[in-house]
Amino acid sequence: MLFSFQRVTYAYPAQTFRPALNDLTLDIPAGEKIAVVGRNGSGKSTLFLHLNGLLKPRSGQVSFRGQPLDYARPGLKRLRQQVALVFQNPDDQLFSASVYQDISFGPLNLGLSQDDARARVLEAANFCGVEHLLERPTHALSGGEKARVALAGVLAMRPDVLALDELMASLDPWGRIEIRRILDAYHARGKTILLISHDLGMVQHWPTWVIVMHQGQAVFSGRADDLLHDGQVMEETGLLAIWREAIQDCGGS
Ligand SMILES: Nc1ncnc2c1ncn2[C@@H]1O[C@H](COP(=O)(O)OP(=O)(O)O)[C@@H](O)[C@H]1O
Ligand SMILES: [Mg+2]
């Protein structure tokens, strides 16, 4: 297993009703294209922030490749080279003056020389189709370009795990297809992709693995086909009703 969550509970300050992660137990396999779904407030983003130690459980334990996470600074630095997070809003990720500076930040931070960092920047920019934008100020990019630059910035670290929190939500269908192509190409290199997504249509076709969050717990973790046949989870989470409606909208039955 890549990640293992053992009875993890996390509550935000002043969160009294129900913790955001509520005694969550979950195994996340390696090498899959994973979609994380669930209604607003089900704990998806909180789960995401636990993957590289940005949040620490109040109780329970998160393990990566069989080792409990080490929350001391050197341990976190090592973890974050392997597990990269891309936030929903690329503006939260881009902070340098130019695209080149932005993508080079991670490699330089790893301690690479200017030349080695430059090679990483070019490789990642090519991979994400933004090599023509390297001299552009980051504020002068379209939404789709910002998303691809944000992605290039984390891929320049060559992480084993790439986790994205609803990055696609604000993109048009063209932009979404471009991002999906990049994710598929990265997955084809043997990497694990975790995508939090609202787009249930896409969830039916894209992932090789699906995690369903509900009230701070993972109520399903498995193959997409098995989810569709799991009547109890489909019913309890409201996914069944949503799917029926989507099929009707498409004129199917
Ligand atoms: N910064 C925060 N402070 C307090 N409560 C929060 C914060 N972020 C999220 N929550 C609460 O934690 C729960 C889970 O939120 P979240 O993980 O963001 O869910 P999702 O990403 O599935 O929409 C929700 O009840 C939400 O209101
Ligand atoms: Mg969220």
Side-chain angles (χ1 to χ4, degrees), residues 33-126:
K33 292 197 286 183
I34 303 167
V36 182
V37 301
R39 63 185 302 161
N40 277 336
S42 58
K44 303 181 298 295
S45 295
T46 309
L47 172 72
F48 166 88
L49 294 170
H50 277 76
L51 295 176
N52 77 353
L54 278 172
L55 293 180
K56 186 177 175 185
R58 293 290 166 90
S59 63
Q61 191 172 68
V62 181
S63 302
F64 179 62
R65 295 202 167 111
Q67 296 296 320
L69 293 201
D70 168 9
Y71 293 91
R73 198 175 265 272
L76 285 182
K77 191 171 178 197
R78 245 176 292 123
L79 177 67
R80 288 171 188 171
Q81 288 167 19
Q82 300 170 74
V83 181
L85 305 189
V86 181
F87 294 92
Q88 173 167 11
N89 183 355
D91 286 325
D92 293 340
Q93 199 114 11
L94 305 176
F95 47 86
S96 302
S98 79
V99 168
Y100 183 91
Q101 280 176 327
D102 217 282
I103 302 177
S104 65
F105 179 82
L108 288 174
N109 209 30
L110 287 181
L112 297 183
S113 70
Q114 289 286 348
D115 281 351
D116 289 345
R118 183 172 181 79
R120 291 281 192 109
V121 172
L122 296 181
E123 177 193 73
N126 264 311

Side-chain angles (χ1 to χ4, degrees), residues 102-182:
D102 217 282
I103 302 177
S104 65
F105 179 82
L108 288 174
N109 209 30
L110 287 181
L112 297 183
S113 70
Q114 289 286 348
D115 281 351
D116 289 345
R118 183 172 181 79
R120 291 281 192 109
V121 172
L122 296 181
E123 177 193 73
N126 264 311
F127 200 79
C128 297
V130 295
E131 65 280 9
H132 59 299
L133 300 173
L134 287 174
E135 302 312 318
R136 189 80 73 81
T138 49
H139 63 78
L141 298 170
S142 75
E145 288 167 346
K146 276 185 187 168
R148 280 182 286 137
V149 168
L151 206 46
V154 298
L155 292 187
M157 311 273 283
R158 297 186 183 154
D160 289 332
V161 182
L162 178 62
L164 308 97
D165 191 353
E166 300 195 32
L167 176 69
M168 320 270 235
S170 61
L171 300 181
D172 65 22
W174 290 268
R176 267 180 251 162
I177 288 172
E178 283 164 356
I179 297 292
R180 213 183 305 170
R181 283 207 188 111
I182 297 168

